[in-house]
Amino acid sequence: MAGQKTDARDVHVGQRIALQRKKAALTQKRVAQSFGMSAAQLQKYEKGTNRISAIHLDTFSRLTGVPVAYFFEGMQRLDDVPPEGFAERPQQAFAADSAADAAPGSWQGLAEVVAEHVKRHFTEDGRKDFAAAIQVLGTRLGT
């Protein structure tokens, strides 16, 4: 990857590559051959002198049986991007703790969220159809 300066992250990833290669009892020569590169090039990846490509890291991950994320675990962050990225927060679960002995109304929170969503995003006809479907569901469940 010509022109890109390496840093502490490349050293970290390289160390993890070397560790997994040794744990898997693989030689640098054997791994390098599977990549179609020289053992010297692999050694540069392991030392963090050169930055490994995502494709090679994925191949090495499959070769050693560890997830790609393993190579980044414990790595010092050099940016201000939050660890979870810019993704939305995980949704809150509204399932009852135990279906058999759940307290009445344990689904109340879910019902409130669904009702608010329907009010905001459905037309009047859509809300009527939704309410009718809920009534049919109640009838079928024997309530």
Side-chain angles (χ1 to χ4, degrees):
M1 311 211 84
Q4 292 184 348
K5 292 184 178 181
T6 59
D7 57 33
R9 296 173 296 183
D10 298 293
V11 173
H12 177 87
V13 169
Q15 289 171 343
R16 306 282 282 193
I17 289 170
L19 179 65
Q20 283 305 308
R21 178 183 58 75
K22 291 171 187 172
K23 280 184 178 179
L26 297 169
T27 65
Q28 283 183 335
K29 183 177 179 180
R30 162 81 167 79
V31 172
Q33 285 175 340
S34 71
F35 286 124
M37 68 176 72
S38 69
Q41 179 61 47
L42 179 61
Q43 186 177 40
K44 289 178 182 181
Y45 289 150
E46 289 185 357
K47 290 186 175 198
T49 307
N50 286 4
R51 180 167 292 160
I52 190 167
S53 72
I55 300 299
H56 283 142
L57 193 58
D58 176 64
T59 303
F60 189 77
S61 167
R62 288 184 283 119
L63 188 66
T64 57
V66 297
V68 171
Y70 162 84
F71 300 103
F72 300 98
E73 290 172 359
M75 184 170 68
Q76 179 184 1
R77 300 186 57 80
L78 301 176
D79 55 37
D80 60 354
V81 176
E84 65 277 359
F86 297 110
E88 294 180 10
R89 299 201 192 300
Q91 291 184 328
Q92 177 184 356
F94 285 100
D97 291 339
S98 170
D101 28 74
S106 61
W107 291 88
Q108 187 66 35
L110 176 60
E112 294 294 329
V113 169
V114 170
E116 185 60 33
H117 179 80
V118 170
K119 274 195 327 194
R120 285 187 184 172
H121 300 287
F122 285 42
T123 64
E124 183 176 347
D125 287 340
R127 289 191 299 268
K128 287 178 182 178
D129 289 344
F130 185 80
I134 295 299
Q135 288 177 340
V136 169
L137 181 63
T139 301
R140 299 279 174 124
L141 293 175
T143 59

